[in-house]
Amino acid sequence: RYGALPAPPAFAGWRTGWLSLMGDFEGPYPEQDLPLVRWGLGPASVLEFASDGRGDVLVLDARPVPGIPQTLQLELNGVATATLELGSEAVFRQFIIPLAAKRGSNVLRIGYSGWERNGERPLALLYRSLQSVPAPRGPDSVPVPAANPGVQR
């Protein structure tokens, strides 16, 4: 556990209207023990967030479409930030990724290696949460590891 991470709503931190290629909220699905969820749609989701420039983290809790191997390519403001391997099992995994965001507006692109067509929707990744939050600060906080982007909890 990484100390002092804020606990905002499951999809907090993004500017409204800047969610590109994200499905609508669905659920909850109590029979599958799922809260409200959102699909990331292929080939990529693009999100905008504001930062004070003092450090942010991406908190991602998601699972791939069963049977479709999933690799995420994260880019912040056009610069490659992290590559996350999720495999193809329908297992949720949480990642905490430090973001070197600049002060002001930032754009995060999450590229998907695969997806499955469900009608008109190219389903790539099912998110239980996707948050952009300030990095922990203060003497009681455990710093988010920077040496290994995509730290899995």
Side-chain angles (χ1 to χ4, degrees):
R1 174 163 159 63
Y2 297 97
L5 277 179
F11 294 90
W14 311 108
R15 290 194 174 168
T16 305
W18 278 89
L19 293 177
S20 172
L21 294 175
M22 291 287 288
D24 292 332
F25 287 105
E26 299 180 20
Y29 300 112
E31 67 281 359
Q32 297 174 30
D33 195 29
L34 289 175
L36 284 175
V37 294
R38 288 187 98 156
W39 282 100
L41 305 177
S45 296
V46 181
L47 307 103
E48 181 184 38
F49 67 99
S51 173
D52 63 8
R54 295 176 36 198
D56 297 271
V57 293
L58 176 68
V59 181
L60 183 153
D61 185 13
R63 72 157 175 83
V65 174
I68 298 180
Q70 190 60 263
T71 301
L72 306 182
Q73 298 290 333
L74 277 60
E75 293 178 6
L76 180 62
N77 300 320
V79 176
T81 302
T83 299
L84 308 176
E85 298 287 341
L86 276 78
S88 60
E89 282 187 67
V91 174
F92 280 93
R93 295 183 182 178
Q94 185 178 61
F95 296 88
I96 299 172
I97 300 112
L99 297 175
K102 64 182 174 49
R103 182 180 180 97
S105 180
N106 293 269
V107 176
L108 178 70
R109 180 184 187 279
I110 304 172
Y112 306 109
S113 63
W115 53 88
E116 174 181 271
R117 284 250 175 233
N118 182 326
E120 292 298 312
R121 300 186 315 160
L123 305 178
L125 198 64
L126 184 62
Y127 291 96
R128 278 195 300 208
S129 70
L130 180 62
Q131 305 167 336
S132 163
V133 296
R137 296 183 183 99
D140 297 331
S141 298
V142 175
V144 174
N148 183 12
V151 174
Q152 183 178 341
R153 284 203 323 187

